[in-house]
Every structure is written in C-alpha cells, then in structure tokens.
Amino acid sequence: SRSAGSTLENKYKNYSNSSNIRKSEELSITVHKEYTFNIKIIFLIRQINLLQKLRNQGVFVSFSYTDSDCRNNGKLILETTADYETYILDSLLNLMTIIDHCGCLSERIRQYFARHAEVRNVINQKLQELNIDAGIAYIDQSLSVIATNSENHRKAIAVLQEAFDSDSAIVIMKDLYPSLTMDKFLSLVKGSIPETGILWLEAKLDGESSNYILTVIGPRELVCSAIETIRLKQQDYKVISTSIKDICVLKTEYLRLYRKYDILALEKRYNCQIEIETIMSSEIFTSQLSKSITVRCPQLSKDEVNRKIHNMINEIIIGKEDSISLHSRIGKLCLCKENKSKLEGWQNEHQCLVIITDHYGLREGNIAVALSEMGGSEYEQECSLKLSGLSIDEIGCTSGTAIGCKIIYHIPFLSSSRTLKWLGNSIKDCLNQADIQGMHSIAIPTIGTGEMTLNTNNIAQVMIQVALNFAEQKRENLRKIHFIIHPTDVNTHTAFKNALLGSSIEMYTPQQLVEIFTKPEKDSKLNCKSNSLLLFKAQCKASKVPVDIHVFHGMVDEVKTDAIIDMTALCSKHISTNNHLDFANYHDEHHTSQTLRYRRSSKHSIYQVCPYGYLAGFTSLLVLMNNRGERSVTIPLLDVEIDILIIDSLINLIELYIKNHIQNQNSINCFDFVIGYQDRSTEIATWIQDKITNKLLQFKWTIIHKVSVPNFGLNVYYVASNRKDISNMKSKIATYENTWAHHEIVDEDYFNDLEPERWYQLALKIWTKYNTIISRQETNKIISIFGYEANIMYTVSHIYKERKTRLEEKAYKEIQQFTAETSQWYLEIGSSRFKFEAKLNYEIEKNYKIYSKNNTNEIFYIDSDKKIIDYGNMKIKDVTRRIESSISKSAFQDIAIPDNWEYNKKEDIVDGYYNMVDVTNQHEINRIKNTSQLGGLNIRKVQRIQNWNLYRRYQIMKAEVTEAVNKYQPSIQVERRLFHGATSYKLSAICKNGFDRDYSGIATGSIHGTGTYFAVNARFSQRFGDGLLLVRVLTGIYTPSTFPGRPNLSIIPGSQSERVHSVVDNTNNPSIYVVSNDNSAYP
C-alpha cells in the first residue's frame, strides 16, 4: 500500500525540506496539482469521505478524479490554497498504510458481495454511518475489504459477519412432481421471499443421491426466512398419492372416455397425474363393480384436485334398463359388430356412454360354482384374466394352487354344441395337454350329467372310450385318469361302471356288427331322447287338472302338443304396412279372432294368426282352442321385441285362463314355449322362472325343473352428465328401428315344391332366427319376405343357402348312390357279405382311389373319424368299440346297350347320355298299344327314354333283386310293366333325373307308405296328370302296405336284414305297387 502512494510521499519530502519557504502572505496562493494513486486508495478516499472531513475542519479543498494510464491506478486532482496543501498532503499520506484483505469471510460470502453491487453500497453506507473508515469494493474482479488501519478493518469485518450469513438445504427432487425442475423450484422460492433481489441462491447437484444442495447467502434475517421457505415449498410441492376408491365403474369409464379433456386440464393446472383404473377385458360391467382413481399431485393442491374430481363424479347420472332381450332392437344394435361405429358415434354426439352387460359369468354350471367357492377371489381373478377370450375349440389353463392341484383345465362346455364328438375331442385334448405338461394324474368331473338332464349313458361311454384310447397310446407321463362322481349320484356311477366294464367286451352278434359297420353313426346331441332340451318346468294344482308350463330349447317340428300357435300369418291389412308396429301393444282384441286360420297337419292343429295384437287376443284364442278340445298348446317365439314385461303379461293371462276354467276337468293343461335358439330360449325360461318365483301371483306354482344357467338378458346402462343427454341417447337408439319392409324373390323349383309341413317348419325357423315372416305364392313362384330391412338381407341369404344345401345334399346323395351301384363295398362276416350304406360306401371308394394312386398311406378315417379303413389289410375298425372286420370290393360287369335304342355311334353312350326319341318302329308301337292294361286308351304318340345313367342303375338293381328273389322266393316275378301318371312338367323331370321318393304323397298322399306309386291299370294313373309313363318296375318280393305316410321297412321272410322290394294294396290281386328305391323303376 505504501508503494501505491510513493509519488506523493516523495513530493511531500521535497516540499517540506525546501529552504525557500514562502512567507505566510504567499500561502494564500491557489494550488492545482495532480497525483497518481492506487485505485483502492482512491476508493477509500471516497468511502471515508476524506474531502468532507477536511472541509469540516475548515480546509479549503476540492478533489476530482480521472483515469490513469495504468490499469490499477487512478488520478486525484487536488485544488486548494498553498497554506492547506501541506495539511492535505499529510492526510493523504496517512492513507498509504491501508489494510486490504477479506479476513475470515467465507468464499461464498465473498462471491455474494462480488455479485451484488447494491449490497456493497448498503454495507459501505452503514460503515460510514458507524464512522468506520473502511469499505468493501469489487476491484479488478476481486473483492476487497479496505480500511485505514487494522482496527477499522476488524470493525468492518465484524459488521459484515453480523449482518450477513449463508446456509444450505437439501432438496429431494424425486419427491416433487416430475415436471418441476430446479429452475422452476427456485422461481417458486424467490416468488415467496420479499427483497429476494439481495439474496443469492445457488443450487448444486449431488451426483450420488441426485438431490440438490440449495445454498442461500445474504442478510442474515433473509437467509433464515429463505431456508424456511425452501422447506415449506418442498412440503407443498412434494408429490403425494391419494386414491378415491369405490367408484362405480360406469362412472370411471365415463370420466375416462368423455371427460378426458377436463382431466387433462386439471393435470395441467395443478401439476398432477390422474390415473383412472381401467376395467379388465374379462370383467363385466355392472353397477356393483367399483374402480378407483389415483391422484399424484403436490400436497399444496391435493384438496382442491380431489374436490374437483368428486364434483365431476357426483355430476354423473346412471340410468338402467333391466332384462332386455339379446334379440331386441337395442340388443341387436349394441351387440352387432357392424353397428359398433354407429353406436360410438351416437355416444360421442350425445356425450352419453351406453354399457351393455349380461348375466353370464365365470360361475356357470355346478362344476364352475364349486371351483369358484373353493378357489376364492384369487382363483376367480385368474379365471377372469386368462379365460375371457376362450373360444369353444380351445382349452383354458389356470393354476390349481387354490384347490390343491397343479393345473386346472377349462373347456367351454356350456357354450359349445354339446355333441358327443365335441365332448370327446375336448377331453382327449385335455389328456394330451396334461401329458405334455408332465402331469401324472388327472381328475375329470362327469360333465353334462347334472342339471343339464343329458343322457348319462352316452356321456359315460364317450368319456371311458376316450380314456381307453389314450391309455392304448402308452404315454410317458400321464398314468392315472380319475372320473369324479357325486356320492349320491347312483345313476351316473352305474353308467360309468357299465361303460368301463363293457369297454373290454368285444362280443357282438353278426347282426349287431352289420349295424355297427355298414351304417354311418349320427353326430347326435348328448340328449339322445330328443333334440329338444327342457329348460324349465312349473306346475299349478289350483284346478282339478294340474296345469304345466314348459320351456324347451328346440324346434317346433319336435313338439308333441295338440296345438301350435303360429304368429307368422300377416293379415291383408298388415302385410302392406310400411312401418313396423309394436305387436304386443296393438290393442285390437278382436284382431286375433278375425285373422285366425285353422289347419290340420299330420301331428298338430295349427292356429295361424296375425302377430299384431296377440296379447290382446291371447285369452280369446285359448278359449277357442279349449272349445275345440285342445289340451296342450305350443307357443313358439311370439314377438320380435319380446321382453320380461310381455312374459309377465302372458303368465297373468294363463292364470286368468286357469281361474276361468278352475272347475273344468277337460281344459288346456299344458303350455309349451319352444324356441329354437339357445340364448332366446334361456331368456324366456329365466323370465318365466323369475315371474313365478319372485312376483305376486294368484295361484301357487311349484317349480319342478329350474333353469340351470339363468339368463335374464341384457342390462343396459346409460351414463351421462345430465338426464337430458340420456334422454337424447334413448331417442337416438329408438330411431335405429329399421323400416318394416317387404321384399320378393323368385324361386323356380325348390321352395314351391316343398310340402306344406316342411314349408311351415322353414317359416317358423326363419321367424325365430331372423324375426322375418315369409310367405309363398304358388301361382307365380314368388316368395315374399316381411321384416326389418337389415333382417331381410339375412333371410334372403339363408333361403339361398337352404336351397343350395338341399340341392347339394341331393346331388351328393345321388353320387353316393351311383358309387354304390357301380363300385359296391362289402363287410365280410364269416362267409356272408353285407353292403355298406351309400354314404359309407362312397367314403370308402373315394379314399380307395386315393390309396390306389399313392400307396404310402394305407389308413383312412371315415364316418366323422369314428371308423378306420386299412386298405393294406382290407380291414375296417370301429374306433369307439375297438372292434374290426374284413371288407371287400365288388365291381359290376359292363351292361349292354338295349337293342331298340337309336343312336349314331356306340361311343356316344357314356355317363350323362340322355335322349328322348320318338318311336317310329311300328312293331314296338304295336307291342305297346296291345298292352291289355291300357284299357282302350287312344295312343297318339310314343317316346322312348334313352337315359344311360338311369338304365345302368336299373340293371344293377335288377341283378340284386333277381339274386334275392332266386334265393328266397324263386317263383316270384322280378319285373313288371306298370303305369305312372303325372303332369308334363313332372314327367320331363322324371325322364331326365329318374323317380324321387322324396316327393311321395305331395299330389295324392301316401296311403300305402312313402315311395313311388305305380298302377297296373293305365286309366287309374291317367287321373294324376296329362302325361303317362310306361315303366319297368322291379316289384320283386312284396308285402301288403301297413302304415300310411311311413317308409317300407319290412324284412324278406327268411333273411336277416334284406328288405322287401315293394308293397301292394292287395296281395291277392295287386293294382298298386309302391317301391322305396328310386333305381327300382325305369321309364
């Protein structure tokens, strides 16, 4: 410091030692001089206000300052009088010994003062006020505490230490909401501290912990306040997680779908995360199912966010409609995939969520219920997760820990077709899967033997046979198969015991073996007694004769009641209705009786009525049927929009009928509801059961057979923010109702040739499946379809598929028959041979051709995999019974072309050859004219039918009949020439395609049984059409006819299984012959 003022010191010495000291009068002269000082001394001169102090002493003096050529120096320009110059220079000389250092100030304090000039100014001001000749300066990027001496320097440091401080706080960033950066946090802290400008906040990242160390430097009282603010801000902005629980899932889904922008706004405004628990794909929407909303937000905004979410939840309104049929308007709208986008569009338009649920769940059936009760919620949750998308061809697999085993296999029996084949394949798959997964034993419940009322014996045979087949494969792991039977189920135990014992017995009579091997096995339903399945039965004993109500899943053609109510006969008024009216709410009580048409089928009385107003006319219809002596009635599907309210009304009307006939012993005592589709039939059965069980009725009903798997239909929930949106949504759905339309299709052959019985069955089938009504106009071959536009399309498709299927079946049947006639296969038992039926014969021959072409494959499955053909050893094996027998093939010899046929060349006579030739040979004409049975008819024209396929089949059949006649009754005539009359249109079809016994009885009935009818007398046949056929007929061995309308099944006396070749009206003098084989006649 002394060196900084050396120039001034040297000048002063020279001045004081001068011998030329002026006199006093000379000291009044003004002195103006310039001195160079270190800039720190200049700062101190100004800081201690030396100029003012000199003036206060009466010294005339003035200072000014300018820059120096040297960076660390400055110039002081002194202006005074000569008499004060010495005194002033002495005062300046005293500053040459300044103290310049920061003492014990921390580095952070130094940095703080270095950065805050305004703080330095405040401190320097305070030092002046305390008369401390010192100051704090930031010179040349360095902080200095400068004082005139050590004492003043000590005092200055003490003042700084007392007034200023530094402190640190740790900020744990992971506890704060994610979007909050340190810069934002510092801004929040600074915004909460007054005079924050004089504070220095420094954040430093701790690499090890990822936390920040936040240091505050400044005035002591402000530092303490800032540290407390940092602590509070951490608490305010610390993320906490709260849950709003037990919220109805319908509301959470509505928030998630339709209030998502409000949720996003909340998240943005309050720096939070809102997570709405979603429903699992396996869970069912119900008002009982609850979800939660998790909120992760700063502590500061927790209450406000939760309050706003609660307000949003409370604003949501839920409307519900119960027991809506799957086939109703809303059911079809909501469940049809094609309508998904339409429904979603309406929901978005009206901000109204529509949720459809049903009553099916994981606890269907006794087995599932038992597993659920034993496994508990954990088991059910796993089932919901893993089995939700299980198709009927898949095996589900869940852990068995909860019930004491390793694995549980699930097969969707209740959703399947419930056939023996499906059940057997599913159990086989389970066994294979268990073996692959290393299981050593498996327990199989007796599926289908409980409340399903299925055939226990058949189930036992299938399960035991599958297990035995698996055992024969000698698998590596699975060694034990247990069948689990309820202790009290004696019938099932007996059935399984017999099946197991019978599986090892291979003793069958020859006749049984023929039946087993030569005939295809039907893929019958598990309930072999009938395809109709009883779902519900209740009985009322209020009247003298108990009254029963049954609900069946089946077809109307299987019912056994006296009468059937047919609702498909639209009247002339409603057949032209453009818009569909509500059938049930059409309140004309006379309309039913006015539109009633009665007809009698072979089995039932049919009461056809217009469906409009059926509820209003139901009582009068029952009275009419009762008066006609009907004692049981079948009621198929009644209404397109049938629901639980309509069922309630029907039961009330049935009770009213019982009340009015309570003393009558001869009244209707059985009401059968028969519906052809599973879901609809279980809906109606459930609704009737609910009505009888839970509603107030006039009479006491006893439920004899409960619905095994109740199905109340659909629950429809409407979820919105206000009732107006729900109302608008319901109105929109109501507009979905399709226009009631009429469509016509032209049919040339199939449907107009259907006999009334089959047409009636088809009409009811289409009505119950597609809710459409069909009628036919035989004169112009037009089929009219009435129904909703969307359903008409499906009906048209069904009609064409039905026709296509029937024609294909007929063609396939002809191919099978032709194969049997040209390449017949035989079952060999001992020295006897037995023909395979046409279907099996065709399969054997088809696979034989494949085998002959490629001998690598010798084993083929036929008859829906129930039989195996081994062509290498010429064996057939029954898979189920594990028995086998030999087979052989017999090819027919070439058949000669008739001598009287006319053709250009012999090579033209091949498969498919057909020609109608006018007979010109007079000898042939005379032979026909002279036939005694013509009865004097005038023959105008004779045509010869040259049909190679028909002729060849006839000759093959003739050889078989001749063989049988020679074996059993050699004296019987094999072939006769008989007559067959028909319209010219039908004659043309017969000549081309042959006779078809499927048309038996259409024109005149089947008094002598089903088959093709031929007359001895031509005039008798002439009554049935304008054309006459002279036919070669293989009458062979015949018997008298027995049952009208039934096929001829009589066996030739002396044979085991061969049937007679024809039946007659009178065995002594036959005038009518009926044959059951189409190849037994050639026109």
Side-chain angles (χ1 to χ4, degrees):
S1 295
R2 290 182 61 84
S3 62
S6 59
T7 304
L8 176 61
E9 184 177 4
N10 292 333
K11 286 185 178 182
Y12 178 74
K13 286 180 178 180
N14 292 333
Y15 177 82
S16 60
N17 296 326
S18 176
S19 59
N20 300 317
I21 298 177
R22 297 188 175 97
K23 295 183 171 72
S24 59
E25 61 271 11
E26 294 175 31
L27 294 176
S28 61
I29 298 172
T30 300
V31 177
H32 186 89
K33 292 185 178 182
E34 184 179 279
Y35 300 96
T36 299
F37 288 97
N38 184 284
I39 57 177
K40 292 183 179 180
I41 294 177
I42 291 178
F43 164 75
L44 190 57
I45 293 171
R46 302 176 73 172
Q47 167 63 24
I48 64 175
N49 204 356
L50 180 60
L51 177 63
Q52 187 60 43
K53 289 180 178 180
L54 292 172
R55 287 179 177 176
N56 289 341
Q57 295 173 14
V59 177
F60 172 78
V61 64
S62 175
F63 294 160
S64 61
Y65 307 94
T66 62
D67 293 334
S68 171
D69 295 336
C70 182
R71 183 169 62 87
N72 295 325
N73 296 329
K75 291 182 179 180
L76 182 146
I77 302 170
L78 173 65
E79 185 177 346
T80 186
T81 57
D83 53 344
Y84 293 122
E85 182 180 8
T86 301
Y87 182 76
I88 293 171
L89 291 175
D90 187 53
S91 297
L92 291 172
L93 187 60
N94 290 334
L95 297 178
M96 295 302 106
T97 59
I98 64 172
I99 305 299
D100 175 17
H101 62 83
C102 291
C104 58
L105 292 180
S106 67
E107 183 61 29
R108 291 186 181 277
I109 294 291
R110 296 178 192 180
Q111 292 177 1
Y112 169 75
F113 286 122
R115 293 187 180 186
H116 292 80
E118 70 279 10
V119 176
R120 296 197 301 271
N121 293 336
V122 171
I123 293 299
N124 288 334
Q125 178 77 28
K126 187 170 183 179
L127 292 174
Q128 289 174 357
E129 293 173 357
L130 296 174
N131 292 320
I132 299 173
D133 291 339
I136 181 169
Y138 185 68
I139 299 173
D140 196 19
Q141 297 186 351
S142 177
L143 185 74
S144 296
V145 178
I146 307 169
T148 57
N149 52 51
S150 298
E151 181 62 22
N152 285 326
H153 191 276
R154 184 188 62 78
K155 291 180 179 180
I157 292 297
V159 169
L160 292 176
Q161 290 178 333
E162 181 181 357
F164 291 89
D165 194 11
S166 67
D167 201 354
S168 298
I170 297 176
V171 180
I172 304 174
M173 294 301 294
K174 68 177 183 180
D175 290 344
L176 309 182
Y177 66 87
S179 61
L180 184 63
T181 63
M182 177 50 67
D183 290 340
K184 290 182 179 179
F185 183 76
L186 288 175
S187 298
L188 292 171
V189 173
K190 291 176 181 178
S192 301
I193 302 174
E195 301 182 58
T196 186
I198 60 175
L199 283 175
W200 178 29
L201 280 73
E202 179 187 61
K204 183 178 181 181
L205 180 64
D206 182 357
E208 294 183 0
S209 64
S210 299
N211 298 328
Y212 277 91
I213 300 174
L214 191 56
T215 302
V216 183
I217 309 166
R220 185 177 296 275
E221 63 277 8
L222 290 182
V223 169
C224 294
S225 176
I227 293 297
E228 179 63 17
T229 300
I230 292 171
R231 187 188 66 78
L232 293 175
K233 288 299 178 186
Q234 281 197 81
Q235 189 65 28
D236 287 344
Y237 290 95
K238 180 179 180 180
V239 174
I240 62 171
S241 181
T242 60
S243 291
I244 305 174
K245 298 181 178 180
D246 299 327
I247 310 168
C248 175
V249 69
L250 304 175
K251 293 190 175 185
T252 58
E253 282 301 294
Y254 182 82
L255 288 176
R256 189 175 61 82
L257 295 173
Y258 299 109
R259 299 296 297 272
K260 55 186 175 183
Y261 295 111
D262 296 329
I263 297 294
L264 288 173
L266 277 180
E267 290 180 327
K268 183 177 180 180
R269 180 177 178 183
Y270 294 101
N271 296 305
C272 62
Q273 293 177 333
I274 301 173
E275 181 180 345
I276 301 175
E277 184 182 4
T278 57
I279 187 170
M280 299 171 62
S281 60
S282 58
E283 291 181 310
I284 300 174
F285 275 104
T286 64
S287 56
Q288 289 76 36
L289 181 63
S290 62
K291 294 294 178 180
S292 61
I293 298 177
T294 302
V295 181
R296 297 186 74 251
C297 66
Q299 173 74 35
L300 181 69
S301 51
K302 180 196 73 172
D303 293 339
E304 183 64 14
V305 172
N306 285 351
R307 184 183 65 81
K308 289 185 176 294
I309 292 176
H310 275 292
N311 289 342
M312 294 170 67
I313 293 171
N314 293 334
E315 289 172 359
I316 299 173
I317 298 172
I318 299 176
K320 181 184 178 184
E321 294 180 355
D322 293 322
S323 301
I324 304 298
S325 172
L326 297 168
H327 297 268
S328 66
R329 180 174 60 252
I330 188 172
K332 289 183 177 180
L333 170 65
C334 298
L335 298 181
C336 181
K337 293 181 179 179
E338 289 80 0
N339 296 325
K340 184 178 180 181
S341 58
K342 179 186 295 184
L343 182 61
E344 288 177 351
W346 292 350
Q347 290 180 102
N348 293 331
E349 177 185 351
H350 298 288
Q351 294 291 288
C352 180
L353 178 64
V354 179
I355 300 294
I356 310 296
T357 67
D358 58 34
H359 288 259
Y360 287 115
L362 295 168
R363 296 172 63 88
E364 293 180 43
N366 290 338
I367 297 172
V369 170
L371 288 173
S372 295
E373 291 177 351
M374 191 172 182
S377 59
E378 183 178 346
Y379 165 79
E380 289 191 341
Q381 185 176 1
E382 184 183 8
C383 289
S384 298
L385 181 64
K386 294 184 178 180
L387 306 180
S388 58
L390 191 67
S391 70
I392 62 172
D393 296 323
E394 292 180 314
I395 298 175
C397 183
T398 61
S399 171
T401 306
I403 64 171
C405 63
K406 293 181 179 179
I407 291 176
I408 301 174
Y409 297 111
H410 303 260
I411 60 172
F413 174 70
L414 294 179
S415 304
S416 72
S417 58
R418 304 180 188 177
T419 61
L420 287 167
K421 181 178 180 180
W422 184 94
L423 181 62
N425 288 338
S426 296
I427 294 176
K428 179 178 71 175
D429 292 342
C430 286
L431 296 177
N432 291 333
Q433 187 71 17
D435 183 73
I436 292 171
Q437 293 184 299
M439 301 296 109
H440 299 297
S441 60
I442 188 170
I444 305 175
T446 52
I447 301 168
T449 60
E451 293 184 1
M452 303 306 296
T453 66
L454 303 177
N455 190 288
T456 304
N457 292 325
N458 286 354
I459 294 174
Q461 291 174 7
V462 168
M463 289 188 174
I464 292 295
Q465 192 59 53
V466 169
L468 290 172
N469 292 342
F470 179 85
E472 287 181 344
Q473 300 174 22
K474 298 181 180 179
R475 295 297 187 90
E476 180 179 353
N477 295 310
L478 187 58
R479 309 302 297 170
K480 291 183 179 180
I481 301 174
H482 303 271
F483 290 99
I484 309 304
I485 303 171
H486 195 276
T488 61
D489 194 350
V490 178
N491 292 335
T492 301
H493 184 271
T494 302
F496 271 78
K497 181 180 178 180
N498 292 338
L500 186 59
L501 292 174
S503 64
S504 59
I505 301 174
E506 300 181 4
M507 298 177 61
Y508 295 92
T509 66
Q511 186 174 356
Q512 288 175 325
L513 291 175
V514 172
E515 190 77 15
I516 291 169
F517 282 117
T518 62
K519 297 180 180 180
E521 293 191 26
K522 295 181 180 180
D523 190 17
S524 61
K525 296 287 183 182
L526 294 179
N527 186 0
C528 295
K529 296 180 181 179
S530 172
N531 286 332
S532 292
L533 179 64
L534 177 65
L535 301 178
F536 173 80
K537 179 180 179 180
Q539 188 175 82
C540 176
K541 295 184 178 180
S543 57
K544 289 189 175 181
V545 178
V547 177
D548 293 338
I549 291 179
H550 303 93
V551 180
F552 290 97
H553 168 221
M555 299 307 294
V556 175
D557 57 343
E558 298 176 345
V559 303
K560 296 179 174 60
T561 55
D562 298 335
I564 298 176
I565 299 176
D566 179 7
M567 314 291 291
T568 65
L570 284 170
C571 65
S572 57
K573 174 182 177 181
H574 293 113
I575 207 167
S576 59
T577 301
N578 292 327
N579 295 319
H580 167 59
L581 301 176
D582 191 342
F583 291 161
N585 293 321
Y586 186 78
H587 298 297
D588 184 354
E589 62 183 46
H590 303 294
H591 187 68
T592 298
S593 57
Q594 291 170 353
T595 60
L596 175 65
R597 288 185 293 178
Y598 173 82
R599 68 180 183 84
R600 179 71 191 176
S601 72
S602 60
K603 300 177 181 178
H604 316 281
S605 298
I606 310 297
Y607 293 83
Q608 290 185 314
V609 295
C610 180
Y612 288 90
Y614 69 87
L615 270 183
F618 188 71
T619 300
S620 60
L621 182 59
L622 292 182
V623 171
L624 175 63
M625 289 190 293
N626 184 72
N627 293 339
R628 293 183 67 92
E630 314 291 1
R631 296 297 170 257
S632 58
V633 58
T634 291
I635 307 170
L637 174 71
L638 289 174
D639 193 347
V640 178
E641 296 293 327
I642 195 167
D643 57 22
I644 194 169
L645 297 178
I646 293 176
I647 292 298
D648 284 356
S649 299
L650 281 172
I651 300 302
N652 290 338
L653 292 174
I654 290 174
E655 281 210 321
L656 178 61
Y657 172 83
I658 294 173
K659 179 180 178 181
N660 294 336
H661 297 79
I662 199 165
Q663 298 299 328
N664 191 348
Q665 292 185 353
N666 298 315
S667 60
I668 298 174
N669 54 56
C670 181
F671 297 87
D672 286 357
F673 292 85
V674 180
I675 300 92
Y677 295 88
Q678 181 70 34
D679 49 7
R680 174 153 276 188
S681 60
T682 52
E683 281 179 355
I684 293 175
T686 303
W687 293 341
I688 294 177
Q689 178 174 283
D690 181 67
K691 171 73 173 178
I692 290 175
T693 305
N694 301 320
K695 306 293 176 62
L696 184 63
L697 297 176
Q698 295 185 58
F699 305 112
K700 181 180 179 181
W701 290 80
T702 302
I703 296 179
I704 299 174
H705 183 86
K706 288 186 177 182
V707 181
S708 59
V709 185
N711 175 19
F712 284 89
L714 301 174
N715 291 329
V716 182
Y717 296 93
Y718 299 89
V719 191
S721 293
N722 55 73
R723 298 193 182 279
K724 183 179 179 181
D725 288 342
I726 293 178
S727 177
N728 291 338
M729 189 66 192
K730 288 183 177 181
S731 299
K732 194 70 175 182
I733 290 176
T735 64
Y736 168 73
E737 181 176 9
N738 296 305
T739 304
W740 186 257
H742 170 216
H743 181 75
E744 293 182 346
I745 59 175
V746 178
D747 181 78
E748 295 181 356
D749 298 308
Y750 171 55
F751 287 105
N752 283 293
D753 289 335
L754 278 182
E755 58 272 23
E757 282 291 317
R758 293 194 64 180
W759 171 262
Y760 167 70
Q761 294 168 10
L762 178 65
L764 275 180
K765 180 179 180 180
I766 287 177
W767 166 243
T768 56
K769 185 170 185 178
Y770 302 114
N771 305 143
T772 52
I773 296 173
I774 61 172
S775 65
R776 60 178 175 177
Q777 304 172 26
E778 297 185 5
T779 55
N780 53 12
K781 298 184 178 180
I782 290 177
I783 297 176
S784 296
I785 307 172
F786 303 90
Y788 294 146
E789 289 178 344
N791 293 336
I792 285 178
M793 176 181 66
Y794 296 114
T795 303
V796 171
S797 176
H798 179 92
I799 287 174
Y800 282 119
K801 286 180 180 178
E802 187 89 13
R803 180 171 64 181
K804 180 182 177 182
T805 300
R806 178 170 166 79
L807 293 175
E808 287 176 348
E809 288 176 351
K810 186 175 181 180
Y812 185 60
K813 186 176 180 180
E814 290 178 356
I815 293 173
Q816 293 174 2
Q817 189 62 38
F818 178 77
T819 301
E821 292 162 358
T822 57
S823 299
Q824 180 66 57
W825 285 81
Y826 292 90
L827 175 73
E828 295 186 346
I829 301 177
S831 60
S832 300
R833 296 198 310 169
F834 303 89
K835 290 181 181 179
F836 284 95
E837 287 197 358
K839 180 178 183 298
L840 286 184
N841 191 84
Y842 171 72
E843 288 190 64
I844 297 172
E845 175 64 18
K846 181 182 69 173
N847 288 323
Y848 180 72
K849 290 179 179 179
I850 298 173
Y851 164 73
S852 299
K853 188 175 182 180
N854 182 5
N855 288 334
T856 57
N857 187 9
E858 297 182 352
I859 304 299
F860 292 84
Y861 283 88
I862 64 170
D863 196 13
S864 302
D865 297 338
K866 294 181 177 66
K867 296 180 177 69
I868 296 175
I869 301 293
D870 179 357
Y871 291 106
N873 298 309
M874 295 299 279
K875 297 284 186 180
I876 183 171
K877 180 178 180 180
D878 186 283
V879 176
T880 303
R881 299 173 180 88
R882 298 188 299 163
I883 55 176
E884 66 177 30
S885 188
S886 299
I887 58 174
S888 62
K889 178 183 178 182
S890 176
F892 295 101
Q893 302 297 319
D894 291 338
I895 296 172
I897 301 172
D899 296 334
N900 62 337
W901 279 22
E902 300 175 31
Y903 50 87
N904 293 327
K905 52 185 178 179
K906 189 175 182 179
E907 289 74 15
D908 293 339
I909 311 300
V910 294
D911 283 349
Y913 171 80
Y914 166 71
N915 197 11
M916 292 280 288
V917 179
D918 291 337
V919 177
T920 57
N921 185 304
Q922 193 60 43
H923 176 73
E924 188 174 356
I925 294 174
N926 291 337
R927 184 169 56 84
I928 294 173
K929 283 185 175 181
N930 293 331
T931 302
S932 61
Q933 288 83 2
L934 278 174
L937 288 176
N938 182 26
I939 304 299
R940 291 180 297 170
K941 182 179 180 181
V942 177
Q943 289 181 302
R944 183 190 313 112
I945 295 98
Q946 299 182 177
N947 189 321
W948 179 239
N949 285 352
L950 294 183
Y951 182 78
R952 186 170 57 174
R953 295 178 193 175
Y954 177 78
Q955 291 300 324
I956 293 171
M957 189 68 190
K958 183 176 179 180
E960 294 181 9
V961 173
T962 301
E963 181 182 356
V965 168
N966 292 335
K967 183 177 181 180
Y968 298 106
Q969 297 184 23
S971 61
I972 291 293
Q973 182 179 340
V974 173
E975 182 183 58
R976 287 179 170 82
R977 291 197 172 194
L978 303 173
F979 295 95
H980 184 87
T983 63
S984 57
Y985 173 78
K986 294 287 181 63
L987 285 179
S988 176
I990 292 171
C991 294
K992 187 174 183 179
N993 302 315
F995 293 98
D996 189 348
R997 62 185 178 278
D998 287 345
Y999 294 101
S1000 173
I1002 290 180
T1004 60
S1006 303
I1007 190 172
H1008 298 295
T1010 57
T1012 306
Y1013 283 61
F1014 301 95
V1016 174
N1017 191 292
R1019 286 192 176 274
F1020 180 82
S1021 296
Q1022 191 186 20
R1023 294 185 298 174
F1024 301 105
D1026 54 358
L1028 190 64
L1029 287 173
L1030 179 61
V1031 186
R1032 296 182 183 184
V1033 184
L1034 300 173
T1035 56
I1037 300 172
Y1038 56 81
T1039 59
S1041 62
T1042 53
F1043 300 105
R1046 297 185 183 182
N1048 167 33
L1049 300 177
S1050 300
I1051 303 298
I1052 296 175
S1055 73
Q1056 291 183 343
S1057 60
E1058 293 185 65
R1059 293 175 182 168
V1060 297
H1061 304 119
S1062 63
V1063 296
V1064 296
D1065 59 339
N1066 187 332
T1067 55
N1068 294 325
N1069 186 23
S1071 62
I1072 295 176
Y1073 290 84
V1074 183
V1075 297
S1076 299
N1077 192 310
D1078 295 337
N1079 296 320
S1080 293
Y1082 180 81

